[in-house]
Amino acid sequence: MVATRTVILGVSCDYHDAAAAVVVDGVVVAAVEEERCSRVKHDARLPVGAVEACLELAGVGADQVDHVAFYEKPLTVLARYLASRQRSGPRGARSFRHDVPTLISTNLMVGYRLRRLLRDLGAGRPPVVEYVEHHRSHAAAAFFPSPFDSAAVLTMDGIGEWSTATVARAHRNRIEVLEEMRYPHSLGLLYSFVTAWCGFEPNDGEYKLMGLAPYGTPRFRDALDALARPTGAGGLQVDARRLRWFDPSALQDPGLAELLGGPPRTADAPFGEREADLAASAQALAEDVMLGAARRAFELTDESSLCMAGGVALNCVANGRILREGPFDDLWVQPAAGDGGSAVGAALSLWHEGLDRHRPLRSDRSGPDAMSGGYLGPAASAADVASALDEAGLTGTAAVDEDALLTTVAQRLADGEVVGWFQGRAEFGPRALGNRSILADPRDPTLRTRLNVRVKGRESFRPFAPAVMAEHAGEWFELDHASPYMLVVAPVRAEHLLPVAHEPDDVLARSAVPRSTVPACTHVDGSARVQTVTAESNPRFYALLARFYELTGCPMLVNTSFNLAGEPIVQTPAQAVRTAREGGMDLLVLGDTLVEGDDLQRGADDAHEVVA
Amino acid sequence: MNVTPRQGVVLTGLVIGTTAVARSWPGFLPEFTAGALAVAGVAVVATAALAWCARRDLHPATTFVVAVLAAAATRAVGGKLPALWVLVTTVVAPWALMDRPPWRGLPRCDPASRGPVLGFSLLATYLATKEGQSIVVMTALVGIVTLFTLLGAFAPRVVRGFVRLVDLVVAKLAGGLVALVMFVVWAAVALVPWLLRWNPTWAPADPRTGWVRRRHSEPEPTRMWVRDAFRVPLFAAHRVRSAATTVLGLAVVAGLVAGTVSLIGALSPDPPETVAPPMGAEDTTAGKAVKSSPWFQSLSDASERMYRESQFSQFVGLRLGDLRSPYLNIVDEERRSWVPTTGACADLPEVWMFGGSTVFGVGQRDDYTIASAVARAAAANGTPVRVRSFGVPGDVAWQENRRLELMLQSRDRAPDAVVFYDGYNDLEYTSGLRWSDRGGVGDPIGPLDRLHMPVLDKLGAIADGDEYVVKVPRTDTRNPRAPAVLGLQAAAQYQAAEAEAATLLGARGIPYVRFNQPTLRSRATPVDGEFEVSPEDRTMYAAFRSALPEGTIDLSGLFDGTPEPVYVDQVHTEEATNDQIARAVLLGLAQRAPSVMKKAGQQQCS
Ligand SMILES: [Fe+2]
């Protein structure tokens, strides 16, 4: 008898980032975020495209899906919503009338909608949808793919059902949730609130706030503490009467404006000292709370390793501090730490906990994790590349062999060119890890502004991240752990730092001052968000880094995600061509094919002529 | 919406079926079932035939054949209007609802017209169920449906514009309704707890660490909720408070709704109904006795059911439906009564009794009504008769005549004698003008409408005052006539009814007796434990009694020799009193219809 495979489809949607994942016999074989398919950033709708893509990647039909795991418990979400509206009284009437019909018709009906989706994809009798608690999904996504046999698990985000953070002990195929922080006490919501106050889009601009933080001094720390007092053990006591989550009018509160140095910044107003200081204060508070929570997790579990997930776990500065200052020997952060990654978590929780399936021992904790380097999305075939070029009216140059390709690209990078790098399977999670990346030489002091403004169209104060050959990471950064997912910030080693003669006052001027010999990826405080690359995790990318190292003696490249501002990361060659063209890249590498920047621009002009 | 021919056919069938079933709704239950089954059968056959035509892709003309056949069949079982309806829907609806034209060369109907066609179809269907619906309205609706079908085929833009407009209006209305409902829900779940300063998001965190301990950590993936979301180690006080808040919240909302409803009631222009004097009072000795009987509750429940399930007939007034219960049974509008069981008597002579609630036997069991008592007394005399009781609460003399006519027509066997036992209602309805704002001399129905206001309102709504005088315009003036005049007027009506009965029965050679029943008003001296009678009532009764129809046997003084309380109210008595009444009735019968007694005496019972 042939053993049948168990196919579990994990889904997250309806709040932030919708995503789907397929787990076959406990192995994560595919995971895709809906935004990559629908091209709507942070798309939270039912992940139709993502489910389709995942099933195709896994090579299973919709009728072969045995279980469907949803990443939260909708009924409790509704109950919490109602309870929170009770808190706001008459003020909540409008949002109540607006949200409740949606909650009932969308969230409560999610089981029906998912089954209908599967039916539309050809399933005769789709399985009944099963529900995994929100933070259990996060915890499962944090622990099950980790390289540990047992660990403490810390999950933190804006809000799940009631929990906003949990501490759990995980062992083999079980996760035991020990303590939780409950709504309205939420670090994630507080961080998003300050993000909104600084004029960034909440649930999207948190990275910007984190990037802005080193430019400021935490002079609003006391004010924030008055609104949300950290207990010292990772807890947070939010004054819910003043910080009214989900109430847009809270941003107009004059009392808050007085505390926070004035009313919120509007999106088009310039950055000031105030925003940088607010960011620094929020970041300091977040780091304190997260370090405290890590200590609490250690106290409760007595484990030596920590796994983390939840939107807050994307705060890589705090992660770096937990790694360096916290009580744990080892840290693993789910690369898709946000709600998208919960699609994976829900499916894994169902497999290990729901179906009580064995989890293989990972005795060598330095071994690879079960996220396949994060490369879980769809790949493009040579034919896809050819047809995309064809459609764009371009003819690429096929590289003679791998060696020639790497040499050419490394040389062009060393010459200061910006390269669009499109290889293999797409990454799952918010970071590009060398398959859908824009690469550049980190030694170039003008690169940051050039890349930020010209190519990516984003605020120029934001630093870029280095992708560094794993064995050289220690020489350049104060980092003795692998950081394959760019989720840990580490200081640049002192010998590579440059002295700064004059520190300008202005945020933008300060960001232009070179801080190290790799200025493009060194932040104003001399730190860098490091990705360590090994030959096992991504051979071609590693080989490119090695070739660049041979040429220049610098073992790293600037690695930023392949997208324009406000757009999701590219998924297909056609999207890559369009992005490279609009971003004015010097070279585009699609698999083995090289496309020159001049050709891209000429192609664009031709296209315009045709239109004219 | 793209309707395949098959779906179109099913929809058509649905319209036909709904029409038919709804049409037969107001009928009696067996009538309803039979009618519904018959017309549904027609619908099924027509639908199947249409489906068959569609599948074979036969010439569209076959549709017309099916339509005509279906209409003919519907005419037989459902009447003219449904038949017309079936004809039109089977011809027009397929055009509007299908993706093909009904005839080669005609354009396809625009899908936008499906909504109006279905909508007006259903409206017409609903109206077709209304009794007395004018053919003009129905035909107009059928015309509208046809118009929309034709517009859909030849001028689809007009239909689309219409549909857009309707959509807009409906969306606005629906939006408003949703907002209203949401407000009520919101008031219950959000506003009230907020007013009560209850914090539903409170959780018992460790004040030192800020963390809450989890009690359960089972995944339970089949559940849509987290088990301990509301069962964190809550303190008992918190739990009690949360329960109290919920209950209070619901109570406040219920109060709001109830208050609004009563406010609307208070503001509505209709003044409250004038209340009639009590019929079955508790104060009388006899009333207390009746109410304390062990069988009273069962009987009272059954009579309530009887009134609920009775029908109103314009011809005769109240028509009692069939009823089964321990003490009250009605079959074919006849209340069950005692039948002699002394062997199998071949052919008992039949005496039919007519009258109001006293003959019916309000507050009395089947086997102890006046009719039963008469039968028992006759059997004891050795002259067994079968007494059939057709008494109906509220009947006056002319109604009894109508009922008699009905029974003569519908029954196989004519009676050997008829007994009318009445007088109280005949006077009461005229005198009722003093406390009621309707009824009386000019009103053929009288105070009966108090019992049947819903029916009457419905009738009034249909007839709109043209065909039935059911509502006399309200005035606050009391009947200005003197009691003596009222009594004489009532007697005049009573006499007219008697004359009619004489003609009716005389023609058939059936002997009859009319009794003027004893009532509280006719008692010579007041008795403790009974109601008092006003001097006006006495005057009125004296006038009525002085002008009784010729030949009426007057039982006014029947209980004058009985010093114990007899009357439950103005007229009804206890079961035990019926024996005395029965003896008087039997005596009257022997005088006026000796042939019956003779026949009864000759009975050969084995
Ligand atoms: Fe989350």
Side-chain angles (χ1 to χ4, degrees), chain B residues 26-101:
Chain B
F28 289 100
L29 196 65
E31 200 179 306
F32 161 71
T33 314
L37 282 179
V39 185
V42 172
V44 167
V45 173
T47 308
L50 282 171
W52 186 81
C53 297
R55 204 165 48 241
R56 292 293 154 105
D57 203 22
L58 290 187
H59 193 277
T62 46
T63 312
F64 292 89
V65 180
V66 173
V68 170
L69 286 177
T74 313
R75 170 79 183 84
V77 292
K80 251 185 304 188
L81 284 182
L84 172 68
W85 190 240
V86 165
L87 186 69
V88 173
T89 46
T90 39
V91 175
V92 173
W95 191 2
L97 301 178
M98 288 184 197
D99 266 339
R100 67 187 177 103

Side-chain angles (χ1 to χ4, degrees), chain A residues 189-529:
Chain A
L189 290 179
L190 178 71
Y191 208 83
S192 292
F193 181 81
V194 179
T195 302
W197 201 275
C198 290
F200 305 116
E201 189 68 29
N203 299 326
D204 179 53
E206 281 78 1
Y207 276 114
K208 301 179 189 174
L209 196 72
M210 191 173 74
L212 192 58
Y215 293 96
T217 49
R219 67 182 166 104
F220 291 108
R221 184 58 206 274
D222 287 344
L224 285 181
D225 279 6
L227 295 171
R229 186 181 59 81
T231 62
L236 198 65
Q237 293 287 323
V238 169
D239 183 351
R241 285 185 188 283
R242 304 176 74 181
L243 286 174
R244 301 188 301 272
W245 310 134
F246 307 122
D247 179 2
S249 72
L251 286 175
Q252 269 107 54
D253 189 328
L256 286 179
E258 200 177 310
L259 265 181
L260 301 177
R265 182 181 80 94
T266 49
D268 41 4
F271 293 104
E273 203 66 34
R274 202 266 310 234
E275 280 74 35
D277 293 346
L278 264 177
S281 311
Q283 181 62 27
L285 181 109
E287 287 171 25
D288 282 0
V289 171
M290 287 175 76
L291 257 173
R295 292 200 180 102
R296 180 74 187 162
F298 182 73
E299 240 171 67
L300 286 171
T301 61
D302 213 19
E303 293 284 344
S304 61
S305 309
L306 176 68
C307 296
M308 282 174 72
V312 173
L314 291 170
N315 192 319
C316 29
V317 180
N319 293 351
R321 278 192 67 190
I322 289 175
L323 195 54
R324 286 190 300 278
E325 301 168 36
F328 291 99
D329 297 339
D330 225 333
L331 170 70
W332 191 84
V333 182
Q334 161 62 237
D339 285 352
S342 289
V344 173
L348 285 174
S349 168
L350 194 64
W351 170 257
H352 288 300
E353 301 186 287
L355 303 176
D356 198 17
R357 297 307 177 94
H358 169 74
R359 179 173 180 262
L361 279 176
R362 289 166 168 82
S363 41
D364 178 14
R365 61 170 46 183
S366 63
D369 58 50
M371 284 301 285
S372 310
Y375 309 112
L376 291 164
S381 65
D384 294 339
V385 170
S387 78
L389 289 177
D390 218 39
E391 229 161 80
L394 294 167
T395 45
T397 324
V400 184
D401 58 12
E402 173 106 8
D403 196 57
L405 176 86
L406 295 176
T407 308
T408 313
V409 176
Q411 186 58 57
R412 300 281 290 269
L413 284 166
D415 293 344
E417 294 192 0
V418 175
V419 176
W421 181 253
F422 184 101
Q423 302 289 340
R425 291 182 71 174
E427 296 89 345
F428 177 60
R431 299 272 146 264
L433 300 170
N435 277 2
R436 301 285 185 279
S437 294
I438 297 172
L439 305 177
D441 184 350
R443 299 167 303 162
D444 182 349
T446 64
L447 181 80
R448 181 193 291 205
T449 318
R450 195 151 57 91
L451 203 53
N452 263 336
V453 176
R454 205 188 76 190
V455 181
K456 298 205 47 164
R458 62 180 207 181
E459 301 81 357
S460 65
F461 66 81
R462 294 173 63 190
F464 288 102
V468 56
M469 296 165 73
E471 62 269 34
H472 293 289
E475 299 160 14
W476 285 77
F477 306 100
E478 287 178 21
L479 181 74
D480 51 0
H481 288 79
S483 170
Y485 299 115
M486 216 184 261
L487 283 168
V488 174
V489 165
V492 178
R493 288 193 86 89
E495 57 264 38
H496 301 290
L497 291 176
L498 296 176
V500 177
H502 169 69
E503 192 74 75
D505 288 337
D506 181 54
V507 167
L508 298 183
R510 270 156 73 196
S511 73
V513 178
R515 308 277 160 179
S516 76
T517 54
V518 282
C521 56
T522 309
H523 208 5
V524 67
D525 59 352
S527 68
R529 181 155 46 88

Side-chain angles (χ1 to χ4, degrees), chain B residues 95-154:
Chain B
W95 191 2
L97 301 178
M98 288 184 197
D99 266 339
R100 67 187 177 103
W103 202 277
R104 231 156 273 158
L106 284 177
R108 198 174 67 85
C109 193
D110 192 87
S113 53
R114 285 169 190 162
V117 164
L118 273 177
F120 283 106
S121 297
L122 290 175
L123 178 64
T125 303
Y126 170 71
L127 290 180
T129 66
K130 295 278 207 174
E131 198 112 23
Q133 185 55 56
S134 84
I135 190 133
V136 179
V137 177
M138 280 294 295
T139 317
L141 281 167
V142 168
I144 290 175
V145 171
T146 316
L147 178 71
F148 269 106
T149 309
L150 293 175
L151 281 176
F154 296 104

Side-chain angles (χ1 to χ4, degrees), chain B residues 416-418 511-513 587-598:
Chain B
D416 297 281
V418 170
Y512 74 97
V513 203
L587 199 65
L589 209 52
Q591 285 170 16
R592 301 287 167 84
S595 58
V596 186
M597 287 301 141
K598 198 175 156 206

